[in-house]
Amino acid sequence: MTVNLEVKGTLAKLLATEDIVVEHREVETAQFDVENRVLTLPIWDASNYVFDMLVGHEVSHALFTPNEDWTEKCKAPQQFVNVCEDVRVERLMKDKYLGIAKTFYRGYSELHAKDFFEVGDQDVNEFNLADKINLHAKIGAFLGVKFTPQEQEIVNVVENAKTFEDTLAAAEALYSFCQQAQPDNQTQEGTEGVELPMGDSEGVGSGVDGGEQHTGCGDRLCERTRRQACRIQ
């Protein structure tokens, strides 16, 4: 079935309750520019379910992710903020539009069937906690991600975030946990030895240097790459 991209753009505007700009481009994943209010949808060979899920995710950022420089308030790297904010905004989106939960389920189900997140036959329970939370929030129904009691405490903080300030606090708690869990002999420049979660730095915008602020959905669903620890929206 051919996806009508114009219809998806109209859907995004209706859900966002504002006249956002919707673009369709050859990009790796969907993203939302928080500052300029531009939602970019990829030109993919995917079903309506996937496109509706992409729209729902990015519109959740349009509705609930503020346009602000948070870097002075949070010590966690941006990837950790991305993971936590994705959990918060998708939950708020499901609360606002009750029927969209099924859309997310179907879209993520299709992506998982195609191994979009590149988990393959890996044991996801060996991943770092940030990766596990990201996967649990998106395709956990298909993976059976398990958490230790100590990890569950952090998961609860992430899942219970109501405001963006809560997201920043959750990101710091998650980052601190990952710092403590990191093996002493494993280091990565600029992250104090902490393995970054799946994804690149293009996510919840920081406003640094006046650059464009993007949110990329989930970091590949905002770009799933466990390759080299971090190269995920």
Side-chain angles (χ1 to χ4, degrees):
M1 180 183 296
T2 302
V3 174
N4 189 321
L5 296 180
E6 183 177 350
V7 170
K8 300 309 176 188
T10 301
L11 172 64
K13 293 181 179 183
L14 290 172
L15 291 175
T17 65
E18 63 172 297
D19 190 22
I20 60 175
V21 176
V22 180
E23 298 180 346
H24 307 279
R25 292 164 41 196
E26 295 283 355
V27 292
E28 290 187 332
T29 189
Q31 63 185 34
F32 183 70
D33 182 337
V34 178
E35 182 174 3
N36 296 309
R37 315 302 290 172
V38 177
L39 190 158
T40 302
L41 291 174
I43 301 175
W44 281 354
D45 180 16
S47 72
N48 276 294
Y49 292 134
V50 169
F51 273 93
D52 287 345
M53 181 270 295
L54 291 173
V55 167
H57 180 92
E58 296 308 331
V59 168
S60 71
H61 284 297
L63 290 170
F64 303 115
T65 298
N67 175 22
E68 67 174 67
D69 182 351
W70 47 264
T71 54
E72 295 299 319
K73 299 188 292 185
C74 180
K75 297 178 181 178
Q78 184 167 312
Q79 288 91 335
F80 289 83
V81 179
N82 293 351
V83 169
C84 296
E85 180 67 348
D86 275 356
V87 174
R88 183 182 78 94
V89 297
E90 283 201 0
R91 188 192 70 249
L92 293 175
M93 193 68 176
K94 292 173 184 176
D95 290 343
K96 183 176 180 66
Y97 297 106
L98 299 182
I100 208 168
K102 185 175 292 186
T103 298
F104 279 111
Y105 179 87
R106 288 173 173 171
Y108 282 131
S109 175
E110 181 175 324
L111 290 183
H112 175 60
K114 295 179 178 180
D115 197 24
F116 179 83
F117 293 91
E118 299 180 8
V119 293
D121 57 357
Q122 299 180 74
D123 183 357
V124 297
N125 292 307
E126 296 297 320
F127 289 5
N128 68 48
L129 182 57
D131 285 351
K132 288 170 65 176
I133 289 175
N134 187 38
L135 291 169
H136 175 68
K138 293 177 170 59
I139 55 174
F142 317 109
L143 291 180
V145 182
K146 298 178 181 179
F147 300 102
T148 67
Q150 294 77 17
E151 289 176 332
Q152 189 62 52
E153 292 181 8
I154 305 299
V155 174
N156 293 342
V157 172
V158 174
E159 292 184 336
N160 291 331
K162 294 181 173 61
T163 66
F164 186 64
E165 285 66 31
D166 293 339
T167 284
L168 297 180
E172 287 199 337
L174 176 59
Y175 180 51
S176 177
F177 183 94
C178 290
Q179 282 183 305
Q180 297 175 33
Q182 190 76 5
D184 292 338
N185 63 349
Q186 186 172 349
T187 61
Q188 184 169 341
E189 184 178 354
T191 61
E192 298 182 21
V194 178
E195 182 182 10
L196 295 174
M198 301 176 291
D200 55 21
S201 61
E202 185 176 274
V204 179
S206 66
V208 177
D209 296 329
E212 293 181 349
Q213 302 186 46
H214 294 288
T215 64
C217 65
D219 286 314
R220 184 147 141 94
L221 197 64
C222 282
E223 190 185 332
R224 163 63 191 164
T225 72
R226 200 161 159 79
R227 308 179 200 113
Q228 301 168 353
C230 167
R231 176 208 121 256
I232 92 180
Q233 322 307 25

